[in-house]
Amino acid sequence: MTEKQIKILGSALELFAEEGFHGTSTNKIAKAAGVSEGLIFRHFKNKEGLLNAIMAQGQSLATTYFSPLMEMTDPKEVLSAIISMPFQIDESEHKFWRLLYALKWQQQKYNSISFDFMLEKAQQAFKDLEYSDPKAEVIILEMLLDGAATVILLKDEQFSKVKTLKALKAKYNLD
Amino acid sequence: MTEKQIKILGSALELFAEEGFHGTSTNKIAKAAGVSEGLIFRHFKNKEGLLNAIMAQGQSLATTYFSPLMEMTDPKEVLSAIISMPFQIDESEHKFWRLLYALKWQQQKYNSISFDFMLEKAQQAFKDLEYSDPKAEVIILEMLLDGAATVILLKDEQFSKVKTLKALKAKYNLD
Amino acid sequence: MTEKQIKILGSALELFAEEGFHGTSTNKIAKAAGVSEGLIFRHFKNKEGLLNAIMAQGQSLATTYFSPLMEMTDPKEVLSAIISMPFQIDESEHKFWRLLYALKWQQQKYNSISFDFMLEKAQQAFKDLEYSDPKAEVIILEMLLDGAATVILLKDEQFSKVKTLKALKAKYNLD
Amino acid sequence: MTEKQIKILGSALELFAEEGFHGTSTNKIAKAAGVSEGLIFRHFKNKEGLLNAIMAQGQSLATTYFSPLMEMTDPKEVLSAIISMPFQIDESEHKFWRLLYALKWQQQKYNSISFDFMLEKAQQAFKDLEYSDPKAEVIILEMLLDGAATVILLKDEQFSKVKTLKALKAKYNLD
DNA sequence: GATGAATGAGCTTTCATTCAT
DNA sequence: GATGAATGAAAGCTCATTCAT
């Protein structure tokens, strides 16, 4: 990938995340990236192709997130790792997750990154810990993750992440 | 409001919720409502005016939701009422809440309907019940509400709401 | 059809005929028609839709041309009528036929107006007149018609149509 | 001429003939030729330069066609040779003539290859054979040639060229 | 000679909005 | 109140052409 391609993807991610896919013109992206508008189409074919390229990039980011889970066996460690996730989104990834969540609400088409594997791992953990209704627990966990992501991505820094995570872990008796 | 105005608002709500504000053209709305495009502008001045009208309608819906809380004093009853809320969204309101949540991710401008009053009420309840960190508890509750709304509005009917709500209430020792 | 639609179709026909479909921009058409560019798309959906509308108009023109043939029975009268056709293209239809012939060379898609009926009528006439190879005669006739159209449409008025038609009829003994 | 130049010219000829000059992008030509787009401009300067190069190639092809005529004196031989021409277009030249005829309809600019010499030769032949209106006969011959080319180039192989040519020669009492 | 990244003008098309009826 | 023709700005996209490598 050339330097300009990277610039385009970066600007597009930022703008899509902030103003939405339909709310962002290719003209705006090109200007933000310091690039001619035509170049966007030469490299990504479409405005949608641009979005796809961003999502493809994100897919590998997500994989990095999830892979450590695979090897864990201790159920408490598993739950602790899962719950911590949204609290560990850092500056550089912030924009990507914001876009991903925003897209969720618009087209199922872009629900491409799947959390199913993670949720299955969680269900096993709840079973191991002998929760009475593991299925319901998984739903609640999913809600907590989506909710944490929502609050963190939309009103970051207006509350103490450390304290919140601690209280949350306490609810599941995770040290 | 005339019948045609109602039709327009209904179609707009549906389309905005599904395809986003910028993703929906006034032409599409007019066709969905079975109305001439010009009429939209006669009644609502703007595309944005349309959105405002929808939000105004929603505001009163929200008030209906929240008002019973005002009179409650028993902290457990308060928490129980708050937690139940997203689980009680019914068919007819579904589209509106979907739109409201989708807009959250797009423009802060439309974060108009505020949950602050409710969250303060919750904080008082947590204090009354002598939770060790009421502030953190409120954040967690907010996450749960946002998360529950997300899951319910986006993948409705793929899980048991009754069981989930029950397990959730158990977490807070609410009967 | 409104006055502006007619204007658009007229300008488009003229420009397509002179500079080709791909060689003519919708901007140019709009300006020639004294109309906003958007209007073209509102009425005809596409640039291609514009072409289709022109062809549809032409179809009825062609039908007018061919229908008198249907009732003729005298073979000489039939051949005479057919041979005369390209020589009777008048000013108002000139542009349309020019476009039609130009399109022939580019996409079979637009070979929509069919001369087959006319050629069958001719074949019957050649049989009636006991020509030795009626099939070959039909091909030659088709060539003559295409050729006459080519010469008339592309270098009109540089030769005597009357004398040429006379000499041509003489070749078929059509007084 | 290098191999790549030949490839470019060949692809351009083919595409121009099939989809028209304006209907063919340099990008498409480059891909068809298996060559970078830039190379086209290095070798031919312009898109128009490409067309000119094709026409120059064609000019010598045409000369080959016409030169035998120069030395003929017998009028019947002359007419026979002229009439036979379109029927002798072979596979390898097909595309070129198709392009040439298609261009006729698009821009007079490209009426570059002239048949005038040939038509003068024909007029002399008609005079020698004491046709009553040699001028009109030349026009008719021109029509026949254009028409034969049209039919042969656009619906090749759907009829017997041998029989058609025979019937045609019979019309002029050529053996 | 050859590539392919890059450009900018121009193209087709969409869209919110206006206005005469 | 209601329509639908009409607009003009801006959107997404294509294209011939240039240039560094």
CSV table of all heavy atoms in Angstrom, one decimal, chain D residues 134-160:
chain,number,residue,atom,x,y,z
D,134,PRO,N,-24.5,8.0,-67.2
D,134,PRO,CA,-23.3,7.5,-66.5
D,134,PRO,C,-23.2,8.1,-65.1
D,134,PRO,O,-22.8,7.4,-64.1
D,134,PRO,CB,-22.1,7.9,-67.3
D,134,PRO,CG,-22.7,8.1,-68.7
D,134,PRO,CD,-24.1,8.6,-68.5
D,135,LYS,N,-23.5,9.4,-64.9
D,135,LYS,CA,-23.4,10.0,-63.6
D,135,LYS,C,-24.3,9.3,-62.6
D,135,LYS,O,-23.9,8.9,-61.5
D,135,LYS,CB,-23.8,11.5,-63.7
D,135,LYS,CG,-22.7,12.4,-64.0
D,135,LYS,CD,-23.0,13.8,-63.7
D,135,LYS,CE,-21.8,14.7,-64.0
D,135,LYS,NZ,-22.1,16.2,-63.9
D,136,ALA,N,-25.6,9.1,-63.0
D,136,ALA,CA,-26.5,8.4,-62.1
D,136,ALA,C,-26.0,7.0,-61.9
D,136,ALA,O,-26.1,6.5,-60.7
D,136,ALA,CB,-27.9,8.4,-62.8
D,137,GLU,N,-25.5,6.4,-62.9
D,137,GLU,CA,-24.9,5.0,-62.7
D,137,GLU,C,-23.8,5.0,-61.6
D,137,GLU,O,-23.7,4.0,-60.8
D,137,GLU,CB,-24.4,4.4,-64.0
D,137,GLU,CG,-25.5,4.1,-65.0
D,137,GLU,CD,-26.4,2.9,-64.5
D,137,GLU,OE1,-25.9,2.1,-63.7
D,137,GLU,OE2,-27.5,2.8,-65.0
D,138,VAL,N,-23.0,6.0,-61.6
D,138,VAL,CA,-21.9,6.0,-60.6
D,138,VAL,C,-22.5,6.2,-59.2
D,138,VAL,O,-22.1,5.5,-58.3
D,138,VAL,CB,-21.0,7.2,-60.9
D,138,VAL,CG1,-20.1,7.4,-59.7
D,138,VAL,CG2,-20.2,6.9,-62.1
D,139,ILE,N,-23.5,7.0,-59.1
D,139,ILE,CA,-24.2,7.1,-57.8
D,139,ILE,C,-24.7,5.8,-57.3
D,139,ILE,O,-24.5,5.3,-56.2
D,139,ILE,CB,-25.3,8.2,-57.8
D,139,ILE,CG1,-24.8,9.5,-58.2
D,139,ILE,CG2,-26.0,8.2,-56.4
D,139,ILE,CD1,-24.0,10.3,-57.2
D,140,ILE,N,-25.4,5.1,-58.3
D,140,ILE,CA,-26.0,3.8,-57.9
D,140,ILE,C,-24.9,2.8,-57.5
D,140,ILE,O,-25.0,2.1,-56.6
D,140,ILE,CB,-26.8,3.3,-59.1
D,140,ILE,CG1,-28.1,4.1,-59.3
D,140,ILE,CG2,-27.2,1.8,-58.9
D,140,ILE,CD1,-28.9,3.8,-60.5
D,141,LEU,N,-23.8,2.9,-58.3
D,141,LEU,CA,-22.7,2.0,-57.9
D,141,LEU,C,-22.1,2.3,-56.5
D,141,LEU,O,-21.9,1.3,-55.8
D,141,LEU,CB,-21.6,2.1,-59.0
D,141,LEU,CG,-20.4,1.2,-58.8
D,141,LEU,CD1,-20.8,-0.3,-59.0
D,141,LEU,CD2,-19.2,1.5,-59.7
D,142,GLU,N,-22.0,3.5,-56.3
D,142,GLU,CA,-21.5,3.9,-54.9
D,142,GLU,C,-22.5,3.4,-53.9
D,142,GLU,O,-22.1,2.9,-52.8
D,142,GLU,CB,-21.4,5.4,-54.8
D,142,GLU,CG,-20.7,5.9,-53.6
D,142,GLU,CD,-20.6,7.4,-53.5
D,142,GLU,OE1,-21.1,8.1,-54.4
D,142,GLU,OE2,-20.1,7.9,-52.5
D,143,MET,N,-23.8,3.5,-54.1
D,143,MET,CA,-24.7,3.0,-53.2
D,143,MET,C,-24.6,1.5,-53.0
D,143,MET,O,-24.6,1.0,-51.9
D,143,MET,CB,-26.2,3.3,-53.7
D,143,MET,CG,-26.5,4.8,-53.5
D,143,MET,SD,-28.2,5.1,-54.3
D,143,MET,CE,-28.4,6.8,-53.8
D,144,LEU,N,-24.4,0.8,-54.1
D,144,LEU,CA,-24.3,-0.6,-54.0
D,144,LEU,C,-23.0,-1.0,-53.2
D,144,LEU,O,-23.1,-2.0,-52.4
D,144,LEU,CB,-24.1,-1.2,-55.4
D,144,LEU,CG,-25.4,-1.7,-56.0
D,144,LEU,CD1,-25.3,-2.1,-57.5
D,144,LEU,CD2,-25.9,-2.9,-55.2
D,145,LEU,N,-21.9,-0.3,-53.4
D,145,LEU,CA,-20.7,-0.6,-52.7
D,145,LEU,C,-20.9,-0.3,-51.2
D,145,LEU,O,-20.6,-1.2,-50.4
D,145,LEU,CB,-19.5,0.2,-53.2
D,145,LEU,CG,-19.1,-0.1,-54.6
D,145,LEU,CD1,-18.0,0.9,-55.1
D,145,LEU,CD2,-18.6,-1.6,-54.7
D,146,ASP,N,-21.4,0.8,-50.9
D,146,ASP,CA,-21.7,1.1,-49.5
D,146,ASP,C,-22.7,0.1,-48.9
D,146,ASP,O,-22.5,-0.4,-47.7
D,146,ASP,CB,-22.3,2.5,-49.3
D,146,ASP,CG,-21.2,3.6,-49.3
D,146,ASP,OD1,-20.0,3.3,-49.3
D,146,ASP,OD2,-21.6,4.8,-49.4
D,147,GLY,N,-23.7,-0.2,-49.6
D,147,GLY,CA,-24.7,-1.1,-49.1
D,147,GLY,C,-24.1,-2.5,-48.9
D,147,GLY,O,-24.4,-3.2,-47.9
D,148,ALA,N,-23.3,-3.0,-49.9
D,148,ALA,CA,-22.7,-4.3,-49.8
D,148,ALA,C,-21.8,-4.3,-48.6
D,148,ALA,O,-21.8,-5.3,-47.8
D,148,ALA,CB,-21.9,-4.6,-51.1
D,149,ALA,N,-21.0,-3.3,-48.4
D,149,ALA,CA,-20.1,-3.2,-47.3
D,149,ALA,C,-20.9,-3.3,-46.0
D,149,ALA,O,-20.6,-4.0,-45.0
D,149,ALA,CB,-19.3,-1.9,-47.3
D,150,THR,N,-22.0,-2.5,-45.9
D,150,THR,CA,-22.8,-2.5,-44.7
D,150,THR,C,-23.3,-3.9,-44.4
D,150,THR,O,-23.2,-4.4,-43.3
D,150,THR,CB,-24.1,-1.6,-44.9
D,150,THR,OG1,-23.6,-0.3,-45.2
D,150,THR,CG2,-24.9,-1.5,-43.7
D,151,VAL,N,-23.9,-4.6,-45.4
D,151,VAL,CA,-24.5,-5.9,-45.1
D,151,VAL,C,-23.4,-6.9,-44.8
D,151,VAL,O,-23.6,-7.7,-43.9
D,151,VAL,CB,-25.3,-6.3,-46.4
D,151,VAL,CG1,-25.8,-7.8,-46.2
D,151,VAL,CG2,-26.6,-5.4,-46.5
D,152,ILE,N,-22.3,-6.8,-45.6
D,152,ILE,CA,-21.3,-7.8,-45.3
D,152,ILE,C,-20.6,-7.6,-44.0
D,152,ILE,O,-20.3,-8.6,-43.2
D,152,ILE,CB,-20.2,-7.7,-46.5
D,152,ILE,CG1,-20.8,-8.3,-47.7
D,152,ILE,CG2,-18.9,-8.4,-46.1
D,152,ILE,CD1,-20.0,-8.0,-49.0
D,153,LEU,N,-20.4,-6.4,-43.6
D,153,LEU,CA,-19.7,-6.1,-42.4
D,153,LEU,C,-20.5,-6.3,-41.1
D,153,LEU,O,-20.1,-6.6,-40.1
D,153,LEU,CB,-19.1,-4.7,-42.4
D,153,LEU,CG,-17.9,-4.5,-43.4
D,153,LEU,CD1,-17.6,-3.0,-43.5
D,153,LEU,CD2,-16.7,-5.2,-43.0
D,154,LEU,N,-21.8,-6.1,-41.3
D,154,LEU,CA,-22.7,-6.2,-40.1
D,154,LEU,C,-23.4,-7.5,-40.0
D,154,LEU,O,-23.8,-7.9,-38.9
D,154,LEU,CB,-23.7,-5.0,-40.1
D,154,LEU,CG,-23.1,-3.7,-39.8
D,154,LEU,CD1,-24.2,-2.6,-39.8
D,154,LEU,CD2,-22.4,-3.7,-38.5
D,155,LYS,N,-23.7,-8.2,-41.1
D,155,LYS,CA,-24.4,-9.5,-40.9
D,155,LYS,C,-23.7,-10.5,-41.8
D,155,LYS,O,-24.3,-11.3,-42.5
D,155,LYS,CB,-25.9,-9.4,-41.1
D,155,LYS,CG,-26.3,-8.7,-42.4
D,155,LYS,CD,-27.8,-9.1,-42.6
D,155,LYS,CE,-28.8,-8.0,-42.2
D,155,LYS,NZ,-30.2,-8.3,-42.5
D,156,ASP,N,-22.4,-10.6,-41.6
D,156,ASP,CA,-21.6,-11.5,-42.4
D,156,ASP,C,-22.1,-13.0,-42.2
D,156,ASP,O,-22.5,-13.3,-41.1
D,156,ASP,CB,-20.1,-11.4,-41.9
D,156,ASP,CG,-19.2,-11.9,-43.0
D,156,ASP,OD1,-19.7,-12.1,-44.1
D,156,ASP,OD2,-18.0,-12.0,-42.7
D,157,GLU,N,-21.9,-13.7,-43.2
D,157,GLU,CA,-22.1,-15.2,-43.2
D,157,GLU,C,-23.6,-15.6,-43.0
D,157,GLU,O,-23.9,-16.7,-42.7
D,157,GLU,CB,-21.3,-15.8,-42.1
D,157,GLU,CG,-19.8,-15.4,-42.1
D,157,GLU,CD,-19.2,-15.6,-43.4
D,157,GLU,OE1,-19.7,-16.4,-44.3
D,157,GLU,OE2,-18.1,-15.0,-43.7
D,158,GLN,N,-24.5,-14.6,-43.1
D,158,GLN,CA,-25.9,-15.1,-43.0
D,158,GLN,C,-26.5,-15.2,-44.4
D,158,GLN,O,-27.7,-15.3,-44.6
D,158,GLN,CB,-26.7,-14.1,-42.2
D,158,GLN,CG,-26.3,-14.1,-40.7
D,158,GLN,CD,-27.0,-13.0,-40.0
D,158,GLN,OE1,-28.1,-12.6,-40.3
D,158,GLN,NE2,-26.4,-12.6,-38.9
D,159,PHE,N,-25.7,-15.1,-45.4
D,159,PHE,CA,-26.2,-15.2,-46.8
D,159,PHE,C,-25.0,-15.7,-47.7
D,159,PHE,O,-23.9,-15.6,-47.3
D,159,PHE,CB,-26.7,-13.9,-47.3
D,159,PHE,CG,-25.7,-12.8,-47.4
D,159,PHE,CD1,-25.1,-12.5,-48.6
D,159,PHE,CD2,-25.3,-12.1,-46.3
D,159,PHE,CE1,-24.1,-11.6,-48.7
D,159,PHE,CE2,-24.3,-11.1,-46.4
D,159,PHE,CZ,-23.7,-10.9,-47.6
D,160,SER,N,-25.4,-16.1,-48.9
D,160,SER,CA,-24.3,-16.6,-49.8
D,160,SER,C,-23.7,-15.5,-50.6
D,160,SER,O,-24.3,-14.8,-51.4
D,160,SER,CB,-24.9,-17.6,-50.8
D,160,SER,OG,-24.1,-17.8,-51.9
